[in-house]
Amino acid sequence: MLAKPLTLSAPGKAILHGEHAVVHGKAALAVALNLRTFLQIRPSNNGKVLICLPNIGTSLNWETVRLRTLLTVFSDGLDESKSPSPEQMDALKEFAGITTELSATESLGTLAFLYLYLSISAKYGQIPSVEIVVWSELPTGAGLGSSAAYSVCLAAALLTACGAIGCPVEEEKSVVRWPEEELELINRWAFRGEQVIHGKPSGVDNSVATWGGVLRFQSGKITSLKRVPTLRILLTNTKVSRSTKILVAGVKDKILKFPAIMNPVLASMDAISHECESVLEAMAESPSQEYYPVLEELFDINQHHLNVIGVGHSSLDNVCRVTATHGLHSKLTGAGGGGCAITLLRPDTDPLMMEAARQDLSACGYECWETSIGAPGICLHSLSSLKADVLHVFNSV
């Protein structure tokens, strides 16, 4: 059982290559984005369970006695291989008083927490009274895996709190990870949290948040690349909203209308993913600047392909144009039609040039972060390893 506070984090996700092509059986490369969601879980003796989400200004608590009344709904043949049932979701909504007045982010975040808390309690024994604070560097609704990072953090914290997995603290290390079999259990439970939030998720986002690094996803199969480099990027959120469902349908229509034209484009996108995978593996074996021109060219080719299949947007073209004036290469990431773009930064990119590009993008009304891809997955932190802004959040709640 939980004896002292624990602090953990999980990364966001970006698609490096293979957007939309993956829907049609081609390979995609998903990468762990080092913008992270942080969670602190603390033991409590007040007989309550509290969850605080400072990003959205939400703090909720329930008495453990009241929560136990729901356990019967979650104990009937429950395991992490079973999807959330409509009966469970209805019981949670009624218990939590979910109404249309609540934002979707708050409602779904609350339901995912309650589902995981009660499910894990029912399977592994009652989780004691705890306080949980979750704070994220990731924007919500931008296609960057914020809900998966949240679900992975919750699953890892609750499984650790109830003793289902160990607490891999090593005195000499400031950041530690769970062994592989325990990461697999975290990932399976996190997928259930993602089902609460998204209905029918692919499993890619929670896998990236759990394992980190780079994952290849093709025809439902997810494979973690064993050795990958960490690459610096500039991430830009155009803040243009879009419907993934409509964009996916539009690509399908184009393929049906012009199969002889579109299928070779998809095949080329598949080849880009495989070529990029080979380059990343070579970089991990023998780091060298000579690989960056290849990665940049693959960005450029794939961005043209994404425009060809109809998922570009003037805002994304603008990101590519602005960064190109500074000698940088960009492409959309995710569904397209707005949303986010990634810009590759070489190790020797002039910081003044990068800052100038960032300022130009901000002047367009976009939001930018300098970060990296290939980041580690879910991990446990010592307080000394946390950045000042993360510590400030946890100390002020």
Side-chain angles (χ1 to χ4, degrees):
M1 289 300 185
L2 194 64
K4 61 181 182 179
L6 297 177
T7 304
L8 41 114
S9 77
K13 169 231 69 180
I15 301 297
L16 193 59
H17 291 293
E19 298 94 334
H20 289 280
V22 70
V23 177
H24 303 280
K26 310 303 183 185
L29 296 180
V31 293
L33 190 63
N34 206 27
L35 294 175
R36 305 183 72 86
T37 293
F38 294 85
L39 180 151
Q40 188 170 83
I41 182 169
R42 310 160 184 163
S44 172
N45 58 7
N46 65 1
K48 292 184 177 181
V49 174
L50 176 143
I51 183 163
C52 182
L53 308 172
N55 294 92
I56 57 173
T58 297
S59 183
L60 301 165
N61 68 82
W62 303 272
E63 293 180 354
T64 53
V65 174
R66 284 193 65 217
L67 285 166
R68 284 194 194 104
T69 64
L70 283 174
L71 283 177
T72 52
V73 184
F74 288 81
S75 59
D76 185 20
L78 178 89
D79 64 57
E80 70 276 8
S81 67
K82 291 189 176 180
S83 303
S85 70
E87 293 77 19
Q88 289 171 338
M89 291 300 96
D90 289 344
L92 290 184
K93 287 176 184 176
E94 183 178 350
F95 176 83
I98 299 295
T99 64
T100 53
E101 284 76 37
L102 290 176
S103 71
T105 301
E106 182 178 346
S107 299
L108 294 171
T110 301
L111 289 173
F113 169 73
L114 286 172
Y115 175 81
L116 288 172
Y117 178 92
L118 290 162
S119 299
I120 291 170
S121 294
K123 178 154 188 179
Y124 299 105
Q126 179 62 42
I127 296 170
S129 175
V130 291
E131 296 178 354
I132 292 176
V133 181
V134 186
W135 179 80
S136 187
E137 298 172 323
L138 292 159
T140 58
L144 299 175
S146 60
S147 67
Y150 173 73
S151 294
V152 168
C153 282
L154 284 177
L158 295 170
L159 288 166
T160 303
C162 73
I165 59 176
C167 182
V169 175
E170 297 178 34
E171 292 301 326
E172 68 277 11
K173 291 186 178 180
S174 57
V175 179
V176 292
R177 304 202 65 215
W178 284 266
E180 190 160 324
E181 64 274 12
E182 293 186 342
L183 288 173
E184 288 173 355
L185 184 62
I186 291 169
N187 194 40
R188 289 197 297 272
W189 277 111
F191 182 64
R192 299 303 162 211
E194 279 282 85
Q195 286 183 312
V196 172
I197 294 170
H198 292 296
K200 294 183 179 180
S202 67
V204 172
D205 289 16
N206 53 280
S207 295
V208 170
T210 301
W211 301 104
V214 181
L215 274 64
R216 185 198 323 114
F217 178 55
Q218 186 168 17
S219 301
K221 184 180 179 183
I222 301 170
T223 307
S224 180
L225 276 60
K226 294 304 178 188
R227 290 192 63 196
V228 293
T230 300
L231 303 176
R232 291 172 60 219
I233 64 160
L234 193 63
L235 174 71
T236 301
N237 183 3
T238 67
K239 302 182 185 176
V240 175
S241 61
R242 69 273 181 261
S243 165
T244 300
K245 186 176 181 180
I246 290 172
L247 288 160
V248 168
V251 173
K252 183 179 178 182
D253 288 345
K254 262 192 169 63
I255 293 168
L256 291 172
K257 190 175 181 180
F258 304 110
I261 297 168
M262 299 302 292
N263 285 325
V265 177
L266 295 177
S268 179
M269 295 170 85
D270 185 56
I272 289 169
S273 293
H274 289 291
E275 178 67 20
C276 183
E277 181 179 335
S278 299
V279 172
L280 293 176
E281 289 175 339
M283 289 178 80
E285 287 291 329
S286 178
S288 171
Q289 293 267 26
E290 71 185 33
Y291 295 111
Y292 280 88
V294 180
L295 292 176
E296 289 169 346
E297 198 161 0
L298 292 177
F299 263 43
D300 294 342
I301 297 169
N302 203 6
Q303 178 61 20
H304 287 302
H305 285 347
L306 289 160
N307 278 327
V308 166
I309 66 173
V311 298
H313 189 270
S314 58
S315 63
L316 294 164
D317 292 339
N318 197 35
V319 172
C320 294
R321 189 163 48 247
V322 168
T323 54
T325 63
H326 297 281
L328 303 172
H329 299 255
S330 304
K331 66 173 288 292
L332 70 84
T333 180
C340 293
I342 51 175
T343 303
L344 186 64
L345 301 175
R346 297 190 184 200
D348 61 351
T349 297
D350 184 343
L352 293 176
M353 179 199 296
M354 192 280 298
E355 185 55 33
R358 184 173 176 161
Q359 288 182 6
D360 287 349
L361 291 166
S362 297
C364 297
Y366 307 149
E367 192 172 10
C368 301
W369 301 265
E370 184 187 356
T371 184
S372 60
I373 54 178
I378 182 76
C379 51
L380 194 62
H381 295 265
S382 68
L383 291 178
S384 62
S385 71
L386 297 174
K387 295 180 287 188
D389 54 348
V390 180
L391 277 173
H392 175 72
V393 170
F394 289 146
N395 289 336
S396 61
V397 176

